[in-house]
Structure formats: C-alpha cells, structure tokens
Amino acid sequence: MRSLPYVLGTSAVAAVVALAAGPAVADEDSGFTIKDPRVKESSGLAASRAHPGVYWTHNDQDQPRVFAVDSKTGETVATITLSGVGTPRDMEAISVGPDGSVYVGDIGDNLDGSWDHVWIYRFPEPKTLKDQTVRAAQFTVKYADGARNAEALMVHPKTGRVYIASKNEDGGGLYEGPVTLTASGTNVFRRVGEVPWVTDGAFSPDGKELLLRSYFSARGYEWKNGKLGTDHRVRAPLQGQAESVTYTADGAALMFGSEGEQSDVERVPLGDDSASGGGRGSDSDSGKSPSSGGSSADAAGDGGNDKLTFALIVLAGGAALVLGLKRLFRRG
C-alpha cells in the first residue's frame, strides 16, 4: 500500500528515518533485513509455527506467492506459489492459524470501497522449506456494512477465527468472520469494534492480546471473549513505510516491518515495560475500553497522534531538504 508516504512525499520521510535508524543487522535479537530483491513491498509479516526463526512475508501487488525469510540471515529460504486462486489485487496481510495454515489477506482497496468483495487465501504451512507450488483455498469476503479498505488480517491462535481491521484516517472497524470460512459462498464479516488508523495487526501467541499498528504508533488490547478490552501504548520503531507487525513465536517480542527494497524488520522486546509506554497500568495511557464512549480514535488511542507525528516528520524532512538546496546553491 503506497498511499500515505507517496502522497506527501517519500523523500522527507526517508530523510528523517535515515537519521533516526542505525545500520540493520541480520540477527533476530535486533531484527533483520529482508535481502531478497523480489520483496520490494513487504506488506505483511507472520512468524512461522513449523519453522523457528522463519517469517512469512509477501508483496502487495504481486503474483500469488509468499516468501519464507530466515531471520538469522535475512535470506529467502522458500518461495511458495499458490495454485487454485485467481490473480491477487492487493495482498496486504498474512497470519498463521492454530492448525498451521497460512492465511493471506487480499484485502487492500486503495479507493476505499471500490471492490464489492475481497479475498482470503489459505494454504497449509509446508513441512519442508523449499521453492514449491501448493494448492490454496480461496474465500470470498464481504463486509456487513459495505465495502472498505483494509490492511490488517489476524487469525486468533486458539479459536482460528479470522478478523480484519479496516483502514481509515479517522478510525476504522474491527470485523469478525464466521466461525468457519467457506470456499463455496460469501463470508460476511461483521463489525465488532472500533479501532484507530491500522496498517497491520497480530494476536499474541496465547491469544490474550491483540496488537494493532499504524504508520507511527502501536497499541495492545486485552482480548476477552472475542472483544476488545483495555488498551495500552506499545513502543513502535519509526520506519519509512510501517506496514507490518507480528509477535515472535514465543511471544517474547514484536517484529515490526516496513515496505521498500532491503527493508528492515525491527525487534522490540516485551516485558519489563520495554515495549509499553508508561506500562500497562499507567493511568495516563491505559485503562480505556474502546467501547467506553468517545470517538474511535480517542478510544483506541493514537489516531490524532499519528497525524501530528506525520506532520512533524514531513516538516522536518522539508526543512532538511531546504537546507540542502541552500547549501547546493551556495556552492554554485
């Protein structure tokens, strides 16, 4: 999904991010760099259940294929081509279910509702990592309240139920799929909660928390009986185009990904408040329930903060660009 940084200019964002970021290292303790030149728009990220240290990713507008990346080296160790599905339109998310099936969300819609349906693809996670073609199931999805854009698909690690978070600058919705997806009909997803501006999300391995990220922030939500509970701020890295997130397989850390060639996946440890802004019990930043009233952005936390942060980054990048041009002219 290219809309935000490309509309306002990637150069300003890249300039600021480059100043803030250090060199990337192919080490799961600190993250890794996706080295495959074919992966130019890593839009989703999911930790493998069958292969420790391996992460699934994919491009958004691409062939029906996904890549298995070794976090120790950043190298692709398998390319999986999906058969039995049509031509993808905008693949934006990936998640692994409790039975080991991999779900790919072809759910993007840059025109915010131009498609009356979207698709989910599902295939069994291969036991052996090698380039191969696997047969996938294709599920047609519609939203009960009309078409919309989305970039986050999450499969609950205990129930196997599929959720989608729509993407909207002023706040989106969390949609719950049917108990069992069907490949022979339409799967209607119903709105069950309000969420902020979301570019990806993931359930914790124990299923007790849902993590949602946007371009410049992330929040964790208690998950009880299929409902969003109290939320808290989660520390997220500043990335050029923050498009993906997943928990590590052991739940000890979060892995944040970004689009672009040679894109970095950054690891943020959990526990000891290392990823929590002020801690889960902070009165200033947690204890609010998304259903307790107020706007969706306020209830979810960072809708307004995202806009402010992005504006500041663009201004900073613009200032850096102006200074650079002045120096260039002086030399002339």
Side-chain angles (χ1 to χ4, degrees), residues 26-38:
D27 180 355
E28 191 179 2
D29 288 337
S30 58
F32 59 94
T33 298
I34 299 175
K35 296 179 179 178
D36 194 327
R38 297 173 298 171

Side-chain angles (χ1 to χ4, degrees), residues 148-317:
R148 58 204 61 246
N149 185 28
E151 294 189 9
L153 177 146
M154 299 77 59
V155 181
H156 194 273
K158 302 300 182 183
T159 67
R161 200 151 189 173
V162 183
Y163 295 83
I164 294 174
S166 65
K167 180 185 179 186
N168 188 288
E169 185 177 352
D170 296 319
L174 180 68
Y175 291 83
E176 180 183 71
V179 175
T180 303
L181 297 179
T182 176
S184 60
T186 298
N187 298 273
V188 178
F189 277 60
R190 304 186 184 282
R191 196 174 185 120
V192 294
E194 305 302 310
V195 297
W197 198 7
V198 175
T199 60
D200 201 12
F203 281 107
S204 59
D206 62 10
K208 295 180 179 179
E209 183 159 287
L210 174 63
L211 190 286
L212 297 175
R213 83 166 302 180
S214 62
Y215 286 115
F216 303 107
S217 63
R219 296 195 77 80
Y221 298 82
E222 280 187 287
W223 187 259
K224 291 183 178 180
N225 301 318
K227 302 290 184 182
L228 292 169
T230 55
D231 64 295
H232 63 96
R233 187 189 303 272
V234 173
R235 180 166 59 85
L238 181 63
Q239 296 175 302
Q241 180 136 351
E243 287 279 334
S244 59
V245 68
T246 188
Y247 283 82
T248 55
D250 61 6
L254 290 164
M255 304 295 281
F256 290 91
S258 177
E259 283 194 4
E261 295 184 28
Q262 300 280 301
S263 62
D264 294 332
V265 176
E266 300 188 43
R267 186 178 192 270
V268 176
L270 294 169
D272 300 326
D273 293 336
S274 61
S276 177
R280 296 181 187 226
S282 170
D283 291 336
S284 62
D285 196 50
S286 67
K288 295 181 181 179
S289 170
S291 59
S292 61
S295 70
S296 60
D298 290 338
D302 289 331
N305 290 343
D306 268 0
K307 297 175 187 177
L308 176 60
T309 303
F310 189 75
L312 291 173
I313 286 178
V314 172
L315 286 173

